[in-house]
Amino acid sequence: MERAIILAASAIGAGLAMIAGIGPGIGEGYAVGKACEAIGRQPECKGSVTSTMLLGCAVAETTGIYGFIVALLLMFVTPNMFIGKL
């Protein structure tokens, strides 16, 4: 019974951690859209807008990666730690 509760809690926590991927997706899409607008208005600044956009997207993506790592830890590492102590 306790094993099932630990596995269920880990699965629910991993699912909630994956919700962290929604924010970076929305933010990066918005940033790319605005970068396209800026390049459309001033094509001569394409290089600086593109490099700034890529740096911002890389920083924003770290949130999604952290959520993914937490989900993996909850699915594969945490249950084994607690089930071994039962």
Side-chain angles (χ1 to χ4, degrees):
M1 178 67 178
E2 293 157 350
R3 177 186 166 111
I5 293 172
I6 290 172
L7 291 174
S10 294
I12 291 170
L16 291 174
M18 288 309 296
I19 293 175
I22 294 172
I26 293 170
E28 289 173 23
Y30 185 76
V32 170
K34 290 297 182 179
C36 289
E37 286 180 19
I39 292 170
R41 292 179 188 195
Q42 292 184 340
E44 65 273 1
C45 67
K46 177 183 177 184
S48 63
V49 169
T50 303
S51 62
T52 304
M53 178 203 60
L54 289 175
L55 180 64
C57 285
V59 170
E61 187 64 30
T62 58
T63 306
I65 293 171
Y66 289 147
F68 180 64
I69 290 171
V70 167
L72 286 177
L73 290 173
L74 283 171
M75 287 298 295
F76 298 111
V77 176
T78 306
N80 295 330
M81 288 174 45
F82 288 111
I83 290 174
K85 293 181 181 181
L86 293 178

